[in-house]
Structure formats: C-alpha cells, structure tokens
Amino acid sequence: MSCRPLVSIILPVYNGEAWLDSCLQSISEQTHNGPMELCVFNDASTDRSMEKIEEHKQALNDVNIAVIITTHENESTGPKGCGYAKNKAVQSSSGNYLCFLDADDVMHPDRIRMQFEVAESLPKNTLLGCQVVREPVDSTVRYSKWINKLSQDQLYSQIYTSNGPTVVMPTWFCHRFLFDTVGGFDEGGKGVPEDYIFFLKLLSKNGKLHRVDRVLLTYRHHPTATTMSISEETIWKIRLQNLQENVLSKWSGFTIWNAGKQGRKFYRDLREETKEKVICFCDVDPKKISKRYYIHELSHKVPKPKVPILHFSEAPKPFIICVKLDLTGGAFEENLSSLKLKEGVDYFHFN
C-alpha cells in the first residue's frame, strides 16, 4: 500500500455542521486500498463544524486516513471564500492526486477507487469527473440530466453554457501536476465562480477532460449552497469573454440562433468588432421572421445596424445557439439535427 500514490481529499469547510456527518462517513467508507489523507481547511466557521470533524477523526484514522486540519491565522477576518479555502487545503496536502469534495456532498464508496484507477491510465493534465445523483432527487432535473448525459466530445463543446463546467466541481479528481499547472483557484471570495475560472484556465493550457460514467457522488441542492451567491450576469460575462476569445475570433461570420430576448442580449453584449461578424439571426417564430430585421437601437452608429432575421433552414452556418435545451418538447433539437451539423465545429451552445 505504501508504494501506491497518495490521494489527498480536499475539503474546504464553512459552517457545514448540518452536512458533515454523512460527508465524513462517506470518506471512511471508501473502498480504495491505497493511502489517503483528508485535508480540511476551516474557513472561519462559526458553528460546530470543527467539533464534527474531531468526532470523526478517530474513525478516519482507524481506516488509515490521516486528518490534516488548517485554519486562518486570524479568524477575526472572517471567511475568505471557496477559492482561498481550497488553495489552503491543497497547500497542506502531500498527495500525488487531489480528490475535491464539498462539505455538503456525499461520496459513494467506490468513488476514489474508480477515479484513481482511471486517472492512472490518463495523462497528468486530465481533469476527471463522474456522474451524480441529486438530493433532493427532483431538484434541478434538467441540470442533472445535462451533467450525466454529456458525451465525451460535449465535455469540450458545451463549456460556454450557463451551467458552467461540464465536469462539475464536486466530482473533480486530478493529479497535482494539473493543479500546479493552472496555478490554483481565484481567491476573489463570495460571488466569484472560482471553479469555472479554473476550468477555463485549464482548457486554455490544453488540459484534458474525462468523466467516469458511474454515479459516484450525491450532489446536494439547497438554498445555502455557495453556488447560489454567484449571479447569472457574472457567469454571462465570463463565458461571453471566453467564447469571443476562443471561438468567435476565429470565425469570419456567424448566425445567432434566436431572434428573441436572449439572442438580442447576446448580440448587444458582443464587442464591436465581433458584432460586425454577425450575418443574421435565425428563428422558427413567424412573427419574428416577418420583421425581417433586428435594428440595434442602442447603437451610436448612423445608420443603426440592421441584422437580417431568417428561418433557421435558410441561415448560414456556423451558429451560436441561444436557445435553452429540453424546453420545446424536442422540437428545437429536431430542427438542429435536421441540418446535420457537427457540434463544436458548426455550432456552439450559449444557452
């Protein structure tokens, strides 16, 4: 066992008392037979979180999982956020591999064993995830389906949607080399999507993605989850910036699929040089198509820019799609499929 690479479980904690019993129990029940350590960073919790960890410490030691707890040098400063806490937990770790876990989630017994086995066969710059089950089961149904059903190619092509990382943060497992290559998490604090920023930075450095197609984590959804503090507008700006830099800068022209509210907002928020590349909007709604043009009334240009509105079947590729999936009874997906396009080449989702 001592010859096998060490796995460090990275657990940032801020007021996780309500969840920690099941979270810590799930760590002690892992079937992985290699060395493991649990690296906890207490981000100025004011509840009984640290008492809970102390209560479970002996049980973890009994199954040869060392527990390393670090905290703020001066807790009067208050919590510094997820990015800071994760970085500090990683700094305290010694493992070749990092297994990220949130205090409100529960690992299934085979999680570390299966992700470790797959990671050993992949390049060191690969970020691994897994499938999840949501709790409550009926929460975020569309998001849960998206997490679990993306193809390997779509892990790369659907990185600009409002859902954020295609490999979701609570399932991350990676080699320390990957973490060091990216340089850690953004430490901007509350309201900063540190996982999405890290994820996009990884891809900009030619990082790889892989999902183990087994449900290995219970991913809890509740009103106090950290993700609830991140605004849609913040995510919008980050993904629009990256889409323009990584995709639209390489296209000579493109069509925006959706002449409605979301499509128009997308157009208005583009850089001026990118707006010039928009060939047309496309849609299926006869009322929108009958208008023939979208006029950008807020533009300072004279005359105001006029962008044609066409039926989707007449619009030229490539497309940026600003239509939400799974909300039209399959009609949108059928229309898209009829064009026989290749995702990630002929179109990207920005829904």
Side-chain angles (χ1 to χ4, degrees):
M1 182 185 296
S2 62
C3 295
R4 303 192 72 187
L6 174 67
V7 176
S8 298
I9 302 163
I10 305 302
L11 182 63
V13 176
Y14 172 67
N15 290 350
E17 176 186 355
W19 319 104
L20 276 168
D21 280 328
S22 54
C23 175
L24 295 168
Q25 180 69 24
S26 76
I27 296 172
S28 65
E29 293 175 350
Q30 290 300 296
T31 60
H32 179 62
N33 64 2
M36 294 181 282
E37 65 178 7
L38 171 62
C39 300
V40 177
F41 182 79
N42 174 26
D43 194 18
S45 296
T46 57
D47 64 358
R48 294 182 62 252
S49 290
M50 290 305 102
E51 293 176 43
K52 288 286 185 183
I53 290 169
E54 289 295 336
E55 290 170 7
H56 284 264
K57 195 171 183 179
Q58 187 57 54
L60 290 161
N61 289 161
D62 288 345
V63 291
N64 298 313
I65 299 176
V67 180
I68 298 151
I69 302 172
T70 52
T71 189
H72 291 292
E73 292 180 6
N74 180 8
E75 292 200 9
S76 65
T77 59
K80 293 190 175 181
C82 289
Y84 180 86
K86 288 169 188 170
N87 286 342
K88 285 295 185 182
V90 172
Q91 286 174 21
S92 73
S93 71
S94 304
N96 306 77
Y97 287 100
L98 306 174
C99 176
F100 290 91
L101 179 63
D102 289 342
D104 53 359
D105 296 327
V106 176
M107 295 197 289
H108 295 194
D110 292 334
R111 179 192 171 183
I112 292 179
R113 179 180 65 80
M114 293 194 70
Q115 288 190 307
F116 173 83
E117 289 174 356
V118 174
E120 285 278 83
S121 68
L122 295 173
K124 290 181 180 180
N125 65 339
T126 304
L127 181 65
L128 278 83
C130 64
Q131 293 176 324
V132 303
V133 61
R134 270 301 219 184
E135 187 179 289
V137 175
D138 59 351
S139 62
T140 66
V141 174
R142 289 172 56 242
Y143 177 54
S144 300
K145 178 182 177 182
W146 181 81
I147 292 171
N148 291 331
K149 298 297 184 183
L150 289 172
S151 69
Q152 181 62 33
D153 288 341
Q154 287 173 327
L155 294 181
Y156 295 93
S157 64
Q158 293 202 14
I159 62 174
Y160 303 112
T161 78
S162 59
N163 289 329
T166 51
V167 178
V168 293
M169 172 71 218
T171 72
W172 286 7
F173 188 101
C174 67
H175 198 280
R176 181 177 291 274
F177 169 83
L178 180 149
F179 184 86
D180 291 341
T181 298
V182 174
F185 293 97
D186 186 289
E187 297 185 357
K190 188 175 181 179
V192 173
E194 82 291 335
D195 56 340
Y196 193 37
I197 294 170
F198 183 102
F199 180 81
L200 292 171
K201 198 172 179 182
L202 166 67
L203 292 175
S204 74
K205 295 177 179 291
N206 298 314
K208 306 301 180 185
L209 305 172
H210 185 88
R211 188 186 65 226
V212 176
D213 284 336
R214 281 277 299 275
V215 174
L216 300 175
L217 185 88
T218 296
Y219 186 13
R220 286 177 169 143
H221 177 71
H222 55 90
T224 59
T226 305
T227 52
M228 298 299 182
S229 70
I230 302 170
S231 72
E232 287 186 16
E233 189 62 23
T234 296
I235 296 290
W236 174 280
K237 289 178 180 177
I238 292 171
R239 56 199 185 96
L240 182 60
Q241 176 186 334
N242 279 270
L243 178 71
Q244 290 186 99
E245 291 175 356
N246 301 329
V247 177
L248 302 184
S249 64
K250 300 171 185 175
W251 287 355
S252 59
F254 62 95
T255 295
I256 299 173
W257 192 318
N258 188 351
K261 182 178 178 181
Q262 286 295 304
R264 296 195 302 269
K265 173 176 169 54
F266 176 80
Y267 173 82
R268 290 193 301 269
D269 288 353
L270 292 171
R271 298 168 186 159
E272 287 303 317
E273 62 269 26
T274 310
K275 285 191 182 80
E276 297 290 337
K277 296 183 177 183
V278 177
I279 301 168
C280 64
F281 290 89
C282 75
D283 214 293
V284 294
D285 185 347
K287 290 184 179 179
K288 293 172 185 171
I289 297 170
S290 67
K291 293 179 180 179
R292 298 184 61 198
Y293 294 96
Y294 164 69
I295 301 175
H296 184 22
E297 298 289 357
L298 298 178
S299 174
H300 297 297
K301 291 185 176 182
V302 179
K304 304 288 188 185
K306 291 173 62 176
V307 184
I309 302 173
L310 305 177
H311 188 271
F312 79 90
S313 63
E314 300 172 344
K317 64 181 184 181
F319 297 87
I320 295 298
I321 297 175
C322 298
V323 180
K324 292 182 179 180
L325 298 171
D326 293 330
L327 287 181
T328 60
F332 162 71
E333 288 80 4
E334 187 174 324
N335 288 337
L336 179 60
S337 177
S338 72
L339 298 181
K340 301 188 185 310
L341 304 173
K342 181 174 176 57
E343 185 171 0
V345 176
D346 299 319
Y347 69 92
F348 283 86
H349 285 284
F350 193 86
N351 48 306

